[in-house]
Structures are given as structure tokens and as C-alpha cells.
Amino acid sequence: MTNPLDQPLENDISAQLKERKSGVGKTTMILSVAVLAIVAFVGGVFVQKSFGATQTPTRQNAGRQFNGTPPSGAQQRPNGGFGRGTTGTIDHVDGTTVYVKTPNGEIVKVSTSDTTKVQITSEGKLTDLKAGQQVVVQGQAGSDGTVTGQTITQRPTTG
């Protein structure tokens, strides 16, 4: 029996190698781009899960600008207040406490202090506030619904 390696090659292998095209084929390029796009998408999903916000942020003060109507997703406080204040009509003033009637008819107790600003076109005082006036109250709402007023601004009358 003869060894096949002992015989010379009939075909010139270097000629066959020269015929082979060099570079990357079209199919390989398309598959590479598809894999890269999938990896980028999955990576973006993981980044969003780790660092992205779960909700669209809402404006904290938006409820005070539209007759007490809260922005979507805002949590309503007891007695009609929203977030950091309330809007409505002054029901009455009792000493250093202002009672504001919200558009939904509820009364919000607003406690004030010497540092509470009262604005009526210009700086005012608690005694300048009268029942029936439209006001915007800015302050921190307590757990019982009482707002600690930092600023009370009289709104222009409408109608």
C-alpha cells in the first residue's frame, strides 16, 4: 500500500487560495449589524431599569394654579389641600388662622405666623384679608390637613 502523502499534488493549492475572495461577505455584515442592534437594545433596557425614572415627574405647585384642581397623579390632602398649599376663597379669618373654602366646598384651616407673607397686589397683613376673596396659599400641609402658611396671595377677582 502506498502513502498518499508521498505523491505530489495534482492541483496547485496556491492558485486555489488566490481565487478565494478576501474580506467579509455580505451575509456576515448583515448578521453582525443585527446582533449589534439587539445587544444595544437589551443593554438600553437594563440601563433604563437600573437608572431610569419609573414615573413622569409632576409639578409640585401645579395644583395651586388652577382653582385647586390637582395635576394628574397628585395626591389630595385632607380638607382639599394639594401638596404644599391650597387655593380657594377665604371663608373667614380668626386671629392668626385663615379658613379657605376650596372649589370642592371643603374648608382648609391655614395657620399663620409672624413670618407668613400676605400679598395683596403689594405686601399686606392678615387684617387685609376678607371673606370672599380668592387666595393662593403656599405652605406645608400637616397630617391633619392644616396648612402652615408661608405665603398667602390674594388673586384678582374674576367675573
Side-chain angles (χ1 to χ4, degrees):
M1 184 168 214
T2 62
N3 187 355
L5 294 176
D6 291 338
Q7 298 174 358
L9 291 175
E10 294 178 14
N11 294 333
D12 186 13
I13 193 143
S14 46
Q16 289 179 356
L17 288 175
K18 287 183 183 177
E19 286 180 21
R20 172 100 173 122
K21 292 182 181 178
S22 63
V24 181
K26 187 176 184 180
T27 305
T28 304
M29 284 299 276
I30 291 172
L31 288 174
S32 298
V33 169
V35 167
L36 182 62
I38 291 170
V39 168
F41 176 78
V42 171
V45 168
F46 283 118
V47 168
Q48 176 66 24
K49 279 180 118 175
S50 298
F51 300 109
T54 58
Q55 296 180 8
T56 304
T58 58
R59 289 182 36 218
Q60 290 290 329
N61 299 330
R64 294 184 288 179
Q65 297 177 0
F66 301 103
N67 295 327
T69 305
S72 61
Q75 295 180 349
Q76 185 170 358
R77 300 268 187 192
N79 299 328
F82 298 102
R84 296 174 45 191
T86 191
T87 62
T89 304
I90 294 176
D91 185 68
H92 66 281
V93 179
D94 183 15
T96 60
T97 304
V98 180
Y99 294 87
V100 177
K101 188 174 189 177
T102 65
N104 62 5
E106 296 187 49
I107 303 294
V108 176
K109 179 181 174 183
V110 178
S111 63
T112 64
S113 67
D114 293 339
T115 61
T116 301
K117 292 182 199 172
V118 177
Q119 299 173 337
I120 304 171
T121 311
S122 61
E123 285 284 319
K125 298 179 182 168
L126 282 176
T127 56
D128 295 327
L129 300 176
K130 304 294 180 215
Q133 294 174 326
Q134 292 283 321
V135 293
V136 176
V137 177
Q138 296 175 333
Q140 189 64 39
S143 59
D144 65 349
T146 299
V147 175
T148 302
Q150 294 173 329
T151 303
I152 300 174
T153 305
Q154 178 182 345
R155 294 174 42 191
T157 55
T158 57

